[in-house]
Amino acid sequence: MSANAASSKDHKVKEPQPGQPMYGCEHVGRLFNQDQATINMSIQHYKTILRAIFDINPILSHTAKGVDGQVVTSITPTYLCLQCPSTLTDDDLTKHGNKKSHRFYVESRSGALYCQMCDDIVWDPTFEDLRLKKLGTGSFFGSRKRKHEELFAPDPVKDAPQYISTNTTLATCKANGLRGIYNAGATCYQNVVLQSFLHNPILRNFYLSDGHQSGSCDTPHCLSCAMDDMFQEFYASETTNGYTAANILSGFWISENKAFENLVANKEQDAHEFFQFMAEELHERNGDGKRPEIGSEHTCNCIIHQTYYGKLQTSTTCQNCGGVTNQAQSFLDLSVPLENLTQKRGKKNLSNGDGVASTRTQNSVTLQECLDEEYIKSDKCEYRCQNCNSVQQARRQTSIKKLPNVLSIQLKRFEFKQGRNDRAQKIETPVQFPLQLNMLPYTTRARTQDLKDNYELQRSCTYDLLCVVVHVGDMDTGHYISYCRVGDQWFAFNDHKVELAQKSDVLNAKAYLLFYIVRSLS
């Protein structure tokens, strides 16, 4: 608008009221003390932004285009620049401000004014008056009372079912567990595991139904109490700001669990080890108090055993007499090696003339192929046969005797080589994993029964993907992120940042941990 425009069309700064400042901050004051054209543009643009926030119901709220041009949809508010049409995420504010010298933004959820130089939301009488009018009456032209007929008269357009379905969206802020966790200093390996717990419906229902009575628990620094507090924060509070897992951290740092002493250090650690640590600690706080013994068929009715524990059966068949010895043991997760299968695939590709690409990085395998190696194929061994009363050649095969409700799978990407120079290396082999996983071929029952027409058994062995933990980068300087499913929608969790994700993003990720939930519970 021209500075010479008619004064009747000029916007005015609100007159100061007794006891109130004239401007929200000194920087807004400088903005309003420029020429009339700048004042007109700023107020008009603010009104346009408020209309966009309160009049339009976007299907994907809080959507912004990053500085790299990529569209990002976040559960946290975005910021609409007051001085240009840009919509920015919290991370891009500084870059945009430095590049354009734009310092004022409107928060996409409330319409409040944010001053970058103050690094805070500021209450400015002129802007706040417009915001309150828009919120109260839907108009910027005062607060006249509408007649009863205007308020309740039917609207043939807006009352139409098609209009309602098109313009109705879920609340942008609701207690559905969508919230990030702040990184407290190389704690991303903890954050991804905690997110997998938070979006596990079995654990969620347990803690939200007072499964652990934290009010009457007298265990100091109890990790189960800390988990109970965290579930309450995520599902009983309508906020999407990052969460500081202080109680989890304090309980973790002072834990007396000697098996996980190496985790207590201010540097990047293994997410799989932290998952095992948390499962063991929560079992001790909610179960029989006994530590699960490796290799034993430990039974317990605690929430952790009901959720994650299954049973393996190892069958050893003597090649001399045909006698079979079965041994069962409990498992928290399935650890699936990648190195041998990757090397086999690399050699096969080379023999087929497929090039000389590194076998550690380029030859993709499927999750089913990895499971076949461990739970369908057998290997040779020697053992002392009770029938022969001597050491005999045998074949050993492992199968799953009992599947858990939530199946945890570790893809062993980190291999430690022992020798003259001990060294560790990361296996970057892409592993193709499905959204739906059939575990029936790997069960003990599949070895002994005709399963073609047993649909109920097949259904009980069908799992849906729930969460994926990904390690990005090198072993010593890498970073953990995760993908979790909420209903039918996937979200990417990167510490305190939470963004919408596509199924293709999930399936193309180089997974380290996979969590599947049995379909009957998903």
Side-chain angles (χ1 to χ4, degrees):
M1 181 179 291
S2 171
N4 297 322
S7 60
S8 60
K9 296 183 179 179
D10 287 341
H11 294 287
K12 296 180 180 180
V13 177
K14 187 177 176 66
E15 293 294 329
Q17 301 295 318
Q20 293 182 358
M22 186 168 181
Y23 306 113
C25 67
E26 59 177 310
H27 311 107
V28 176
R30 293 175 194 166
L31 178 70
F32 281 152
N33 278 294
Q34 296 184 45
D35 57 85
Q36 185 64 46
T38 301
I39 297 174
N40 289 342
M41 182 186 68
S42 299
I43 294 178
Q44 187 59 44
H45 197 189
Y46 185 66
K47 292 166 70 174
T48 301
I49 291 174
L50 291 180
R51 290 189 185 99
I53 293 174
F54 297 120
D55 291 351
I56 303 172
N57 290 319
I59 295 175
L60 296 179
S61 56
H62 310 320
T63 299
K65 183 175 290 187
V67 293
D68 57 357
Q70 183 176 1
V71 176
V72 176
T73 300
S74 171
I75 65 166
T76 52
T78 52
Y79 293 86
L80 291 81
C81 182
L82 188 67
Q83 295 155 283
C84 77
S86 299
T87 302
L88 306 153
T89 63
D90 189 39
D91 293 336
D92 292 333
L93 280 180
T94 302
K95 297 177 184 176
H96 181 78
N98 293 338
K99 182 178 180 181
K100 300 287 189 178
S101 296
H102 294 172
R103 305 302 182 187
F104 300 101
Y105 303 89
V106 183
E107 196 246 38
S108 66
R109 179 169 294 153
S110 65
L113 183 71
Y114 170 81
C115 174
Q116 187 183 31
M117 290 172 285
C118 294
D119 192 21
D120 203 356
I121 298 292
V122 295
W123 186 90
D124 180 79
T126 302
F127 287 127
E128 187 67 8
D129 183 60
L130 292 170
R131 190 180 77 89
L132 293 179
K133 286 180 179 178
K134 187 63 180 173
L135 276 173
T137 67
S139 170
F140 298 114
F141 304 104
S143 57
R144 72 176 182 91
K145 294 183 179 179
R146 288 179 287 178
K147 295 180 180 179
H148 182 275
E149 292 79 6
E150 294 180 15
L151 290 172
F152 298 101
D155 188 325
V157 176
K158 292 188 176 181
D159 289 344
Q162 184 176 0
Y163 179 90
I164 295 174
S165 62
T166 303
N167 291 276
T168 301
T169 59
L170 293 175
T172 57
C173 180
K174 56 183 294 189
N176 54 9
L178 285 174
R179 192 173 175 184
I181 303 175
Y182 287 114
N183 192 318
T187 58
C188 59
Y189 71 98
Q190 299 180 20
N191 293 347
V192 291
V193 173
L194 295 178
Q195 290 289 1
S196 77
F197 287 155
L198 286 162
H199 297 285
N200 183 322
I202 304 176
L203 293 183
R204 178 195 64 207
N205 294 344
F206 173 79
Y207 279 103
L208 294 183
S209 61
D210 295 327
H212 180 81
Q213 299 290 337
S214 58
S216 58
C217 178
D218 56 3
T219 303
H221 303 287
C222 173
L223 277 170
S224 193
C225 288
M227 285 291 295
D228 185 64
D229 293 340
M230 186 166 65
F231 271 96
Q232 298 299 327
E233 282 287 332
F234 273 67
Y235 287 96
S237 175
E238 290 191 353
T239 180
T240 54
N241 293 331
Y243 176 76
T244 302
N247 292 338
I248 297 284
L249 289 172
S250 61
F252 171 59
W253 297 131
I254 67 172
S255 171
E256 297 179 355
N257 196 328
K258 301 298 182 183
F260 298 93
E261 279 184 330
N262 62 310
L263 283 176
V264 185
N266 190 28
K267 62 180 182 179
E268 186 64 66
Q269 299 291 348
D270 185 10
H272 178 241
E273 287 188 29
F274 184 71
F275 167 69
Q276 292 180 317
F277 163 82
M278 286 296 296
E280 187 171 311
E281 287 287 317
L282 295 176
H283 155 71
E284 290 190 30
R285 297 291 172 259
N286 297 287
D288 55 17
K290 298 178 182 179
R291 294 183 183 274
E293 298 179 9
I294 298 176
S296 68
E297 195 173 2
H298 186 88
T299 57
C300 176
N301 290 323
C302 76
I303 186 61
I304 295 301
H305 273 75
Q306 290 183 45
T307 304
Y308 293 107
Y309 273 83
K311 294 181 181 179
L312 295 174
Q313 177 170 294
T314 301
S315 301
T316 307
T317 304
C318 177
Q319 298 296 285
N320 183 47
C321 69
V324 180
T325 302
N326 294 320
Q327 181 180 11
Q329 66 181 60
S330 300
F331 71 89
L332 171 65
D333 50 55
L334 302 179
S335 290
V336 181
L338 296 179
E339 187 171 35
N340 291 340
L341 189 59
T342 301
Q343 290 178 348
K344 290 179 183 177
R345 180 60 52 81
K347 291 178 180 178
K348 180 179 179 181
N349 289 345
L350 289 175
S351 65
N352 291 337
D354 291 341
V356 292
S358 170
T359 58
R360 305 194 62 78
T361 59
Q362 299 300 322
N363 300 291
S364 66
V365 298
T366 67
L367 177 61
Q368 290 87 338
E369 289 173 334
C370 297
L371 293 171
D372 289 350
E373 290 287 318
E374 294 296 307
Y375 304 108
I376 289 183
K377 297 180 180 179
S378 61
D379 55 3
K380 295 179 181 179
C381 66
E382 288 186 351
Y383 93 120
R384 185 171 186 81
C385 177
Q386 298 296 324
N387 296 334
C388 301
N389 197 27
S390 60
V391 176
Q392 297 290 338
Q393 293 291 320
R395 295 201 71 87
R396 180 175 293 141
Q397 185 182 52
T398 301
S399 59
I400 301 174
K401 183 179 180 181
K402 178 185 177 183
L403 284 163
N405 286 319
V406 176
L407 178 65
S408 310
I409 302 175
Q410 179 206 21
L411 302 175
K412 298 181 70 174
R413 293 196 175 277
F414 306 114
E415 292 291 342
F416 296 89
K417 300 291 186 180
Q418 294 183 340
R420 179 179 300 177
N421 297 315
D422 291 349
R423 60 189 179 91
Q425 56 188 355
K426 181 182 176 183
I427 301 173
E428 295 283 4
T429 303
V431 178
Q432 301 172 30
F433 52 92
L435 292 172
Q436 292 83 35
L437 178 64
N438 178 21
M439 289 297 294
L440 183 57
Y442 313 108
T443 63
T444 305
R445 297 178 70 176
R447 310 283 189 274
T448 58
Q449 298 182 19
D450 183 5
L451 307 174
K452 291 183 179 179
D453 297 324
N454 196 333
Y455 298 109
E456 189 62 32
L457 178 59
Q458 293 183 32
R459 184 175 181 275
S460 68
C461 297
T462 301
Y463 285 76
D464 293 311
L465 188 62
L466 185 65
C467 180
V468 180
V469 172
V470 181
H471 182 269
V472 182
D474 299 329
M475 287 193 61
D476 297 327
T477 59
H479 179 64
Y480 284 100
I481 62 172
S482 63
Y483 297 93
C484 295
R485 178 169 55 84
V486 179
D488 294 328
Q489 181 63 63
W490 284 92
F491 291 86
F493 295 83
N494 185 355
D495 289 333
H496 67 281
K497 294 190 293 185
V498 184
E499 298 173 352
L500 277 170
Q502 302 299 320
K503 288 181 181 179
S504 58
D505 299 328
V506 179
L507 295 176
N508 289 328
K510 287 187 178 180
Y512 175 49
L513 302 178
L514 296 167
F515 295 90
Y516 285 89
I517 185 169
V518 67
R519 175 160 293 181
S520 58
L521 295 177
S522 64

